[in-house]
Amino acid sequence: MTFFLRRARTNKAGLAPILARITTNGVSKEVYIQCSVPADRWNLSKEWATGRDKLCQQVNAYLNEYRARILAIRQELISKGREGNCIEIKNLLLNPAAQSKQFLSEFGQYCEKRQGEVGVRITQLTANKYHRL
């Protein structure tokens, strides 16, 4: 993974957006990391903002966090037995809720579980209320 500036997109304040290029198995994807830095304060070889001002320190801290998040997502994908390619990593970076469970499907399973308890713990009327909800 590398970080670089998109100098062609420099705004009026002189800030250029930073992108992360994630490469796995020869395939690469680019992701805007929602962070900008003055173009003259970017060190291309170190992939780092140079300077001691507050903005550069915040940018560098954010880059460290973002790099750690990418590595954690890749490690999580590999531990689940998936390939952990750049496309999956990008999708999880942009939409972290994609792996979360849907409320309605979870509640449907809960209703089915309660239906199995009819006559043991609850009545059929109570189970019907769960289904109507």
Side-chain angles (χ1 to χ4, degrees), residues 2-122:
T2 58
F3 294 104
F4 64 96
L5 287 184
R6 180 66 53 124
R7 292 182 192 271
R9 301 251 178 177
T10 304
N11 64 13
K12 292 179 183 177
L15 300 176
I18 302 173
L19 281 83
R21 181 176 291 137
I22 305 166
T23 306
T24 54
N25 300 330
V27 179
S28 65
K29 291 290 178 186
E30 296 176 357
V31 180
Y32 280 101
I33 66 167
Q34 306 302 321
C35 190
S36 298
V37 69
D40 61 336
R41 292 199 180 172
W42 182 255
N43 187 334
L44 185 62
S45 62
K46 293 184 179 180
E47 302 171 5
W48 203 254
T50 58
R52 295 181 180 244
D53 62 335
K54 189 175 181 178
L55 176 67
C56 290
Q57 290 177 356
Q58 288 175 344
V59 166
N60 290 336
Y62 187 75
L63 290 175
N64 283 335
E65 291 172 18
Y66 206 82
R67 181 176 282 122
R69 198 163 74 192
I70 290 172
L71 294 174
I73 288 172
R74 184 171 189 274
Q75 188 63 35
E76 180 184 337
L77 288 171
I78 291 172
S79 68
K80 288 181 179 179
R82 295 170 65 185
E83 186 178 351
N85 62 19
C86 60
I87 297 168
E88 290 177 325
I89 294 170
K90 180 180 177 179
N91 289 339
L92 288 175
L93 277 172
L94 297 178
N95 189 8
Q99 295 286 4
S100 67
K101 297 179 180 178
Q102 296 293 322
F103 175 75
L104 292 178
S105 65
E106 289 293 314
F107 192 71
Q109 291 174 359
Y110 180 78
C111 290
E112 294 301 319
K113 179 181 173 185
R114 291 292 169 235
Q115 184 65 38
E117 296 176 352
V118 170
V120 179
R121 291 188 55 203
I122 62 173

